[in-house]
Amino acid sequence: SATPGDNWLDYIPVFIANGFYKNKTQFKARHVVYDSYSKFPKVKKYLEEDRLEALRDSLIVEMPLDRLTTRHEIYKIMDYDRDLFRRVIRDRWNPYTDEPIKNVAELYRLMRRVVNEDESRVWEIERLVQKHKRLIIFYNFNYELEILRNLGLSCRIAEWNGHKHEPVPEDDTWVYLVQYTAGAEGWNCVTTNAMVFYSLPY
């Protein structure tokens, strides 16, 4: 079956079909501990996970995939403005609004922004566009999209995000800007073999 296996509850139909448990109630009574302080049924932990792993391994069929291509992953450590980063960390100051940082969430958001907006990333993207005539670039935030839009590239630029759903260009040279969450569906692009992750998704 095409049962998802993100958590143990997803395996209940398969476990019942194979006779490991009589019903969902029996499975939950034996393996699931719910959070008593939650207003809705929220799993706190699972019991006897070693048994569940053994049952799962007895059912899962390995499906090897022979690829005709080889994946080349290149990790590039980029630079960042250390003085600005230090100001955010030590002074707890937001350089974009010129106000004090309100909470930890804002602090981490600003740390990411200082790192992601550095010019070294822009130079690397420009170098990669010269090297690969068709390039998919994944990004996270709107400020990254603005940076990528304003690269001044001579090629066609298309977007897939919460605002635009443009198809992959068919020109000889193009850049396709894809927001991680919007482009999370399983789609294939067979007209290029190069992708860039402008920033990490988490």
Side-chain angles (χ1 to χ4, degrees):
S1 78
T3 305
D6 297 333
N7 57 59
W8 290 117
L9 296 177
D10 292 338
Y11 284 96
I12 292 175
V14 180
F15 287 164
I16 293 170
N18 282 276
F20 300 142
Y21 301 93
K22 284 192 287 185
N23 52 38
K24 189 191 299 189
T25 306
Q26 184 189 22
F27 176 89
K28 288 183 177 181
R30 182 167 180 178
H31 297 289
V32 181
V33 177
Y34 286 99
D35 188 348
S36 56
Y37 297 104
S38 177
K39 294 180 180 178
F40 58 92
K42 178 182 167 188
V43 177
K44 185 176 182 181
K45 65 178 180 176
Y46 294 98
L47 304 173
E48 297 184 66
E49 285 196 75
D50 52 344
R51 172 182 162 78
L52 293 173
E53 288 171 8
L55 293 175
R56 179 195 61 198
D57 293 345
S58 71
L59 298 174
I60 289 180
V61 177
E62 187 71 29
M63 297 179 69
L65 174 64
D66 295 328
R67 292 184 179 272
L68 301 174
T69 58
T70 304
R71 179 181 291 183
H72 300 282
E73 296 179 3
I74 300 168
Y75 296 92
K76 185 89 175 177
I77 307 279
M78 305 311 299
D79 203 3
Y80 63 95
D81 188 334
R82 285 167 174 73
D83 294 331
L84 189 59
F85 195 82
R86 198 174 296 116
R87 186 174 183 211
V88 169
I89 292 274
R90 289 188 184 164
D91 301 340
R92 297 292 197 264
W93 194 259
N94 186 333
Y96 302 101
T97 62
D98 205 27
E99 297 173 345
I101 293 173
K102 298 182 185 96
N103 51 42
V104 175
E106 184 182 4
L107 172 67
Y108 278 91
R109 195 168 54 248
L110 288 169
M111 289 163 57
R112 287 183 72 175
R113 184 168 182 177
V114 168
V115 171
N116 293 343
E117 281 189 336
D118 192 75
E119 285 186 346
S120 63
R121 287 177 189 260
V122 174
W123 298 332
E124 187 63 21
I125 293 292
E126 289 172 348
R127 186 187 72 79
L128 290 169
V129 169
Q130 294 299 318
K131 184 177 180 183
H132 304 281
K133 298 301 179 191
R134 299 172 177 176
L135 197 62
I136 298 174
I137 303 175
F138 285 91
Y139 68 93
N140 272 298
F141 304 105
N142 285 336
Y143 63 82
E144 295 173 347
L145 175 60
E146 289 305 316
I147 291 169
L148 294 167
R149 278 178 177 163
N150 297 319
L151 284 174
L153 302 173
S154 57
C155 62
R156 170 115 186 269
I157 297 177
E159 299 176 19
W160 184 275
N161 51 45
H163 311 290
K164 294 182 180 179
H165 292 126
E166 298 174 343
V168 176
E170 296 180 3
D171 307 35
D172 292 334
T173 306
W174 49 260
V175 171
Y176 196 45
L177 306 177
V178 181
Q179 203 276 339
Y180 279 108
T181 307
E185 303 97 9
W187 56 274
N188 288 324
C189 176
V190 294
T191 53
T192 184
N193 61 359
M195 285 188 300
V196 174
F197 300 105
Y198 183 84
S199 60
L200 298 176
Y202 54 85

